[in-house]
Amino acid sequence: SVMGDRGRCVQIMLNLLSNANKYTDKNGLVDVHVELIEDFVRFSVSDNGVGIPLEDQGQVFSEFFQVEKLTERALRGTGIGLALTRRLVQLHGGQIGLSSTPGQGSTFWFTLPKARPAPAAIAKTANASTVSKSSNGSLRVLVAEDNEANRIMVCDMLTALGHKVISVTTGKDAIAAAEAHLPDLILMDMRMPEMDGLEATRLLRQRPWGRDVPIIALTASVGPDAKAVCMSAGCSGFLSKPIQVDDLHSAIQNSSNT
C-alpha cells in the first residue's frame, strides 16, 4: 500500500491509463506493472501505440508544451492532464517519468511512498467536514481564474493540500462568491473578463467582510512593478504563474500567519 490521498492516487493512475488508451489502436495493448523499490511503490503503464519523438519526451509534462509538434494522433493523450498528473505525484513525494520509442509505444511510470507516516503537506486531505480554519489547518479558499487549465491545476493542488475550494471565472463572480461563502482566503487572477482582478480586489476591500481576508494575486507578470501594482490594489500576497505547489503552500502559510 502507499501513503497519500486515495482519490488523487486513483486520478494519477486513471490519467495515465487514459493516455495509454488514446495512444493505441483499437486492438492495441496496455499493460500495468507494479513493483516495490525500497521505500517506494513504482507503477508503470505501457502501451504499444505511436510513441513520442525523442525531442519531445522531456516536455510532455510541462503546462507550456507546444503540442503542435506532435501528430494529431499522438497529442490526444498529452497536455494539461500530464502536467496535472506530474504535480499530483510530486505533491505526494513521488517522481514521474517516461520512456518511449516512436512507432513502438510508450511507458509512463510514477512512484509513491509506501505506507508510512504521511508527509505534512498531504497528511490531512479534503475529507474534513469542517474546513473553515479547522484544527487541521484546512481553509475555505475562493479561486478566481478564467483560464480553465490554470483553474483546474490550482484547485486540484488546493484540494490535495486539504482545503475546500470554491471557483469562479470572473471578477464579478468573485465578489458575489466571496459575499456568499465568506472564504478564509482568495486566490485572484489579475486578468479576467468583465472585471479584472485588480478592480475586484479594490471592491472587495470596500466591503466590511472583505477588509481583512487575505487576497493572493495570481499573475503571469513578474518583477517588482507587477507586484507593486497588485499590492497597491489591496492584495496581501503575490504568486507568479506557473504556480508551483511549494510556493502555493508557502503563500497560504504566510497568509494564515498575518
Side-chain angles (χ1 to χ4, degrees):
S1 60
V2 298
M3 288 301 303
D5 177 68
R6 180 182 179 88
R8 297 306 166 188
C9 291
V10 171
Q11 183 179 3
I12 292 167
M13 178 61 75
L14 289 179
N15 284 352
L16 295 187
L17 287 171
S18 175
N19 283 337
N21 181 61
K22 292 172 183 177
Y23 276 135
T24 60
D25 292 324
K26 181 178 180 180
N27 298 320
L29 177 65
V30 176
D31 180 66
V32 177
H33 180 70
V34 182
E35 61 181 323
L36 180 63
I37 302 178
E38 297 182 350
D39 293 330
F40 291 85
V41 180
R42 177 181 168 119
F43 302 83
S44 300
V45 178
S46 302
D47 65 72
N48 61 352
V50 296
I52 301 172
L54 181 61
E55 63 270 20
D56 293 324
Q57 292 180 19
Q59 306 176 65
V60 297
F61 294 106
S62 169
E63 295 93 330
F64 303 102
F65 178 50
Q66 299 297 311
V67 294
E68 291 84 359
K69 292 182 180 180
L70 294 180
T71 65
E72 181 180 356
R73 183 181 187 79
L75 67 82
R76 288 186 299 168
T78 66
I80 196 65
L82 287 178
L84 173 58
T85 302
R86 176 179 62 87
R87 292 286 181 87
L88 291 176
V89 170
Q90 291 175 342
L91 181 62
H92 284 77
Q95 296 181 331
I96 191 169
L98 71 97
S99 60
S100 182
T101 302
Q104 297 184 25
S106 304
T107 295
F108 284 81
W109 59 267
F110 66 96
T111 62
L112 294 175
K114 70 178 183 180
R116 58 184 179 182
I122 58 174
K124 295 290 184 180
T125 54
N127 295 322
S129 57
T130 302
V131 296
S132 181
K133 295 184 178 178
S134 64
S135 60
N136 67 3
S138 64
L139 303 172
R140 181 180 291 110
V141 183
L142 171 62
V143 176
E145 167 66 78
D146 67 308
N147 181 280
E148 182 179 8
N150 290 338
R151 188 173 63 255
I152 292 172
M153 185 77 71
V154 172
C155 289
D156 270 292
M157 285 192 285
L158 288 167
T159 300
L161 286 169
H163 303 298
K164 176 68 175 179
V165 182
I166 306 133
S167 67
V168 296
T169 59
T170 71
K172 287 184 177 180
D173 288 343
I175 294 174
E179 184 172 19
H181 298 283
L182 300 179
D184 302 307
L185 173 69
I186 299 174
L187 300 182
M188 183 78 75
D189 182 35
M190 292 296 100
R191 292 188 177 183
M192 290 183 290
E194 298 185 28
M195 179 188 295
D196 65 22
L198 292 172
E199 182 63 19
T201 298
R202 294 188 186 101
L203 292 175
L204 282 170
R205 291 308 188 203
Q206 295 175 14
R207 269 69 166 178
W209 43 264
R211 292 173 183 169
D212 299 323
V213 60
I215 301 177
I216 299 176
L218 306 180
T219 176
S221 301
V222 296
D225 292 341
K227 183 175 182 179
V229 169
C230 296
M231 303 304 277
S232 65
C235 294
S236 48
F238 181 89
L239 281 174
S240 297
K241 300 178 183 179
I243 307 301
Q244 303 296 320
V245 170
D246 290 344
D247 293 337
L248 178 61
H249 182 65
S250 296
I252 293 173
Q253 291 294 102
N254 291 338
S255 70
S256 299
N257 294 330
T258 57

